Amino acid sequence: MKDYVFGIDVGGTTIKCGLFQADGTLLEKWEIPTRTENNGDQILPDVAKTVLKKIKEKGIAKEDVAGVGIDLPGPVNEKGEIAVAVNLNWGYKDIVAELGGALGGIPVKAANDANAAALGEMWGGGGRGTKNLIMVTLGTGVGGGIIVDGKIVAGAHGAGGEIGHACVDPTETAVCNCGNRGCLEQMASATGIVRLAKRYLATYQGKTMLNPERISAKSVYDALKAGDEAATAIVEEVSAYLGNALAMFACVVDPEVIVIGGGVSKAGEILVDGVKKYYRRDAFISCKETPIVLAELGNDAGIYGAAKLALG
Ligand SMILES: [Zn+2]
């Protein structure tokens, strides 16, 4: 019986690991450091070592392991090849071949980290019970994952679900990390919200509890909760960009649920309410009532999604 599955979430500083039962029960999770030195050539061997050690420690037969799923911070195609991962000092790698070899033939599946998080939320989080989902992750950047019929949309270049780089304002003059202008990431990431807030406050004449010198996405949402007028206007702008963009993606995917995660989503239901207002305004009639919910798995979404990926 293939009773066990591993989910591995590789970040720039730590590698999160999870041992799951095939039914989705998380049995154990742990972390190891990401060794990015020497072109990160020890990262996959380290993953193999920790997985094999855990199998031995738990007395699990190798035949009872359905597979190892791994997610990575870079574009991963459906074959499990990554083009580049700047945070890991990696160029091209065939993850399935390299990790599979080091694991002595245990099947390996690989995905982009934001895509895996979406799959994780579908399996054990805010999108439980659905097969079609859009997830947007509002952190330092804006990540995204699209699941259609239970499968990640990885795309031809591994860039499927790169919601953060959809152009939402072609007139924007500031440049995004990707080199384009007007990306959703420039408006709705934690740094994007700060940018819009500073821009708004530069000409705002009224009273506000926001201090442009010490502003964060959290302070903007905290001020909104306290009824601050400037924060209300700033969040309206952020919500309009997000709600409009999600309405457009819904026209393409028609998801059963839209999940919002990432550090900024800690603001809670007030954030969802703002997004819903503009989503409902702009969505196609058939998709207007699509639920928009908060992610539930936090930093564990990646290990859940990677494990689900390995189960197929
Ligand atoms: Zn961009």
Side-chain angles (χ1 to χ4, degrees), residues 11 38 51-52 57 84 88 92 118 121 142 166 173 208 225 227 233 248 263 290 303 311:
N38 299 323
V51 166
L52 293 173
E57 178 192 316
V84 62
L88 307 180
Y92 169 88
E121 287 290 337
V142 172
T173 53
T208 177
K225 287 171 191 170
M248 284 194 280
T290 302
I303 57 170
L311 284 173

Short mmCIF file of all heavy atoms in Angstrom, two decimals, residues 11 38 51-52 57 84 88 92 118 121 142 166 173 208 225 227 233 248 263 290 303 311:
data_model
loop_
_atom_site.label_atom_id
_atom_site.label_comp_id
_atom_site.label_asym_id
_atom_site.label_seq_id
_atom_site.Cartn_x
_atom_site.Cartn_y
_atom_site.Cartn_z
N GLY A 11 12.77 26.96 -0.01
CA GLY A 11 12.88 28.42 -0.02
C GLY A 11 14.34 28.83 -0.03
O GLY A 11 15.23 27.98 0.03
N ASN A 38 28.16 27.20 -3.52
CA ASN A 38 28.58 26.32 -4.62
C ASN A 38 27.44 26.04 -5.61
O ASN A 38 27.14 24.89 -5.94
CB ASN A 38 29.13 24.99 -4.08
CG ASN A 38 30.34 25.20 -3.21
OD1 ASN A 38 31.17 26.07 -3.48
ND2 ASN A 38 30.43 24.46 -2.11
N VAL A 51 14.94 12.93 3.50
CA VAL A 51 13.79 12.05 3.23
C VAL A 51 14.15 10.60 3.56
O VAL A 51 13.40 9.90 4.26
CB VAL A 51 13.33 12.18 1.76
CG1 VAL A 51 12.37 11.04 1.38
CG2 VAL A 51 12.65 13.53 1.53
N LEU A 52 15.32 10.16 3.08
CA LEU A 52 15.73 8.76 3.32
C LEU A 52 15.94 8.50 4.82
O LEU A 52 15.60 7.43 5.33
CB LEU A 52 17.01 8.45 2.53
CG LEU A 52 16.82 8.44 0.99
CD1 LEU A 52 18.17 8.31 0.28
CD2 LEU A 52 15.87 7.32 0.54
N GLU A 57 14.07 6.26 9.97
CA GLU A 57 13.70 6.56 11.36
C GLU A 57 12.29 6.05 11.69
O GLU A 57 12.04 5.54 12.77
CB GLU A 57 13.80 8.09 11.54
CG GLU A 57 13.41 8.65 12.88
CD GLU A 57 13.28 10.19 12.80
OE1 GLU A 57 14.17 10.83 12.18
OE2 GLU A 57 12.28 10.71 13.33
N VAL A 84 15.43 28.41 -14.05
CA VAL A 84 16.36 29.20 -13.25
C VAL A 84 15.74 29.42 -11.87
O VAL A 84 14.51 29.48 -11.75
CB VAL A 84 16.67 30.55 -13.94
CG1 VAL A 84 15.41 31.40 -14.08
CG2 VAL A 84 17.76 31.34 -13.23
N LEU A 88 18.30 30.32 -5.28
CA LEU A 88 19.03 29.09 -4.96
C LEU A 88 20.39 29.04 -5.67
O LEU A 88 21.12 28.06 -5.54
CB LEU A 88 18.21 27.85 -5.36
CG LEU A 88 16.78 27.77 -4.83
CD1 LEU A 88 16.09 26.49 -5.32
CD2 LEU A 88 16.75 27.81 -3.31
N TYR A 92 19.51 26.01 -15.07
CA TYR A 92 18.62 24.90 -15.43
C TYR A 92 18.90 23.64 -14.61
O TYR A 92 20.06 23.31 -14.35
CB TYR A 92 18.81 24.57 -16.93
CG TYR A 92 18.13 23.29 -17.33
CD1 TYR A 92 16.80 23.28 -17.73
CD2 TYR A 92 18.83 22.07 -17.25
CE1 TYR A 92 16.18 22.08 -18.07
CE2 TYR A 92 18.21 20.88 -17.59
CZ TYR A 92 16.88 20.88 -17.99
OH TYR A 92 16.27 19.70 -18.31
N ALA A 118 -1.13 26.79 -4.18
CA ALA A 118 -2.52 26.75 -4.64
C ALA A 118 -3.07 25.32 -4.54
O ALA A 118 -4.20 25.10 -4.06
CB ALA A 118 -2.61 27.25 -6.08
N GLU A 121 -3.73 24.49 -0.88
CA GLU A 121 -4.98 25.07 -0.36
C GLU A 121 -6.19 24.30 -0.90
O GLU A 121 -7.22 24.21 -0.23
CB GLU A 121 -5.07 26.56 -0.72
CG GLU A 121 -4.12 27.45 0.08
CD GLU A 121 -4.52 27.58 1.56
OE1 GLU A 121 -5.70 27.37 1.90
OE2 GLU A 121 -3.62 27.89 2.37
N VAL A 142 3.73 39.42 -5.50
CA VAL A 142 2.42 38.79 -5.67
C VAL A 142 2.62 37.50 -6.47
O VAL A 142 3.06 37.54 -7.61
CB VAL A 142 1.42 39.71 -6.40
CG1 VAL A 142 0.13 38.96 -6.74
CG2 VAL A 142 1.08 40.92 -5.53
N ALA A 166 0.60 40.31 -14.27
CA ALA A 166 -0.43 40.80 -15.18
C ALA A 166 -0.39 42.32 -15.12
O ALA A 166 -0.27 42.91 -14.04
CB ALA A 166 -1.79 40.29 -14.73
N THR A 173 4.47 54.46 -14.43
CA THR A 173 5.82 54.81 -14.87
C THR A 173 6.90 54.04 -14.10
O THR A 173 8.01 53.85 -14.60
CB THR A 173 6.07 56.32 -14.71
OG1 THR A 173 5.75 56.68 -13.37
CG2 THR A 173 5.23 57.12 -15.69
N THR A 208 -4.36 61.97 9.30
CA THR A 208 -4.21 60.52 9.18
C THR A 208 -3.29 59.99 10.26
O THR A 208 -2.39 60.70 10.72
CB THR A 208 -3.66 60.11 7.79
OG1 THR A 208 -3.48 58.69 7.78
CG2 THR A 208 -2.35 60.79 7.47
N LYS A 225 -8.90 49.65 9.72
CA LYS A 225 -9.77 49.09 10.77
C LYS A 225 -10.14 50.16 11.79
O LYS A 225 -11.20 50.10 12.40
CB LYS A 225 -9.08 47.90 11.46
CG LYS A 225 -9.03 46.65 10.58
CD LYS A 225 -8.16 45.57 11.19
CE LYS A 225 -7.91 44.46 10.18
NZ LYS A 225 -6.89 43.50 10.61
N GLY A 227 -10.69 53.17 11.01
CA GLY A 227 -11.53 54.16 10.35
C GLY A 227 -10.78 55.32 9.73
O GLY A 227 -11.38 56.35 9.39
N ALA A 233 -8.94 55.17 1.58
CA ALA A 233 -8.75 55.50 0.16
C ALA A 233 -7.65 54.63 -0.46
O ALA A 233 -7.78 54.16 -1.59
CB ALA A 233 -8.40 56.98 0.02
N MET A 248 -10.94 39.37 -14.17
CA MET A 248 -10.45 39.00 -15.51
C MET A 248 -9.97 37.55 -15.53
O MET A 248 -10.30 36.81 -16.45
CB MET A 248 -9.34 39.93 -15.95
CG MET A 248 -9.87 41.29 -16.39
SD MET A 248 -8.62 42.22 -17.27
CE MET A 248 -7.66 42.84 -15.91
N GLY A 263 1.45 37.02 3.47
CA GLY A 263 1.53 37.84 4.68
C GLY A 263 0.47 38.93 4.77
O GLY A 263 -0.11 39.17 5.83
N THR A 290 -18.77 33.81 -7.20
CA THR A 290 -17.66 32.93 -6.83
C THR A 290 -17.12 33.32 -5.46
O THR A 290 -16.82 34.49 -5.22
CB THR A 290 -16.53 33.06 -7.88
OG1 THR A 290 -17.07 32.72 -9.16
CG2 THR A 290 -15.37 32.13 -7.57
N ILE A 303 4.16 22.59 1.47
CA ILE A 303 4.39 21.14 1.71
C ILE A 303 3.12 20.35 1.40
O ILE A 303 3.21 19.25 0.85
CB ILE A 303 4.93 20.83 3.13
CG1 ILE A 303 4.02 21.34 4.26
CG2 ILE A 303 6.35 21.35 3.30
CD1 ILE A 303 4.42 20.84 5.65
N LEU A 311 1.15 12.70 -5.16
CA LEU A 311 0.08 11.68 -5.17
C LEU A 311 -0.60 11.62 -6.53
O LEU A 311 -1.17 10.60 -6.91
CB LEU A 311 -0.97 12.01 -4.11
CG LEU A 311 -0.58 11.70 -2.66
CD1 LEU A 311 -1.64 12.24 -1.71
CD2 LEU A 311 -0.36 10.21 -2.44
#
